[in-house]
Amino acid sequence: FILQQYCSGGNLEDFINKEVFQKSQDHQSSDERKKRFLYRRSHPKVALGLSTLQIASIIRDIARGLQELHDIGLIHRDLKPSNCLLLQKIPENLSMSDYIPTIVIGDLGECQLNGESRTASGATGTLEYTAPEIIITGVGRSRPANYNEYTFASDMYSLGMICYFVLFGDLPFQPQL
């Protein structure tokens, strides 16, 4: 079992989609939609996105958490915004532009020790955040013996994709089915 502190703020994916880029969710109540509409109408010049300080804080927290995992020899293998948790909700008396969330990495169920070979044949993790060398297969060129293995570098690729998502609220490309 893995015991982790309670994170009441939800996950980074929901935070970026709902609070930062105000993407409408299907499960939003009519009161929530009305509240957002009225806010946007009364604040027409409010820019979407995070401040440099907020972005730096979020990325620093995730990078530090990843460094902690890597220092003890663990590869996360499924690092994505929905596995990055906010310690607390936005306080009622604080505006979104003044809120600096504290982020911790969660869902360590897919971790593996560095140097350990995968026993499953499929890719673990979410394809949009998985390093290309993990999912690219094929014959033809000679590849290192550990070509399709997760490494610290594959976690760093996932961190880069999270950075892009935090900045733009989307990914640079759509997943291929």
Side-chain angles (χ1 to χ4, degrees):
F1 295 98
I2 298 172
L3 182 63
Q4 183 173 328
Q5 68 192 104
Y6 178 65
C7 299
S8 63
N11 67 59
L12 184 61
E13 181 177 30
D14 290 342
F15 173 74
I16 295 296
N17 283 332
K18 293 176 189 174
E19 303 299 331
V20 176
F21 290 100
Q22 302 172 356
K23 293 181 181 175
S24 179
Q25 302 294 318
D26 291 338
H27 60 275
Q28 235 179 4
S29 72
S30 61
D31 288 340
E32 289 172 325
R33 284 192 303 274
K34 190 183 296 182
K35 183 179 169 183
R36 283 196 192 279
F37 174 78
L38 293 173
Y39 180 81
R40 284 189 207 157
R41 178 183 269 180
S42 64
H43 298 84
K45 297 198 181 210
V46 172
L48 296 179
L50 295 168
S51 70
T52 302
L53 181 63
Q54 290 169 314
I55 293 166
S57 176
I58 289 169
I59 301 308
R60 183 197 65 228
D61 287 350
I62 299 169
R64 283 183 178 165
L66 199 53
Q67 181 181 5
E68 290 287 326
L69 288 174
H70 291 178
D71 284 349
I72 61 173
L74 288 178
I75 301 168
H76 190 281
R77 298 192 331 160
D78 194 20
L79 192 61
K80 58 188 175 183
S82 61
N83 287 341
C84 297
L85 309 174
L86 283 70
L87 280 185
Q88 59 237 152
K89 295 178 182 179
I90 302 173
E92 300 271 337
N93 60 344
L94 204 59
S95 71
M96 176 55 207
S97 61
D98 296 326
Y99 176 61
I100 308 286
T102 302
I103 310 291
V104 296
I105 297 175
D107 192 6
L108 304 174
E110 297 296 331
C111 285
Q112 79 178 36
L113 290 172
N114 184 36
E116 183 178 68
S117 293
R118 290 190 297 160
T119 55
S121 57
T124 298
T126 306
L127 288 179
E128 297 93 272
Y129 295 92
T130 302
E133 64 270 18
I134 303 301
I135 54 178
I136 294 174
T137 58
V139 193
R141 290 192 269 170
S142 62
R143 294 188 171 106
N146 64 350
Y147 182 72
N148 288 105
E149 296 294 336
Y150 284 88
T151 63
F152 294 141
S154 55
D155 275 351
M156 294 308 293
Y157 176 89
S158 300
L159 176 62
M161 293 300 286
I162 291 171
C163 291
Y164 191 97
F165 179 77
V166 167
L167 286 169
F168 301 108
D170 217 339
L171 292 173
F173 50 84
Q174 294 300 312
Q176 301 296 315
L177 299 176

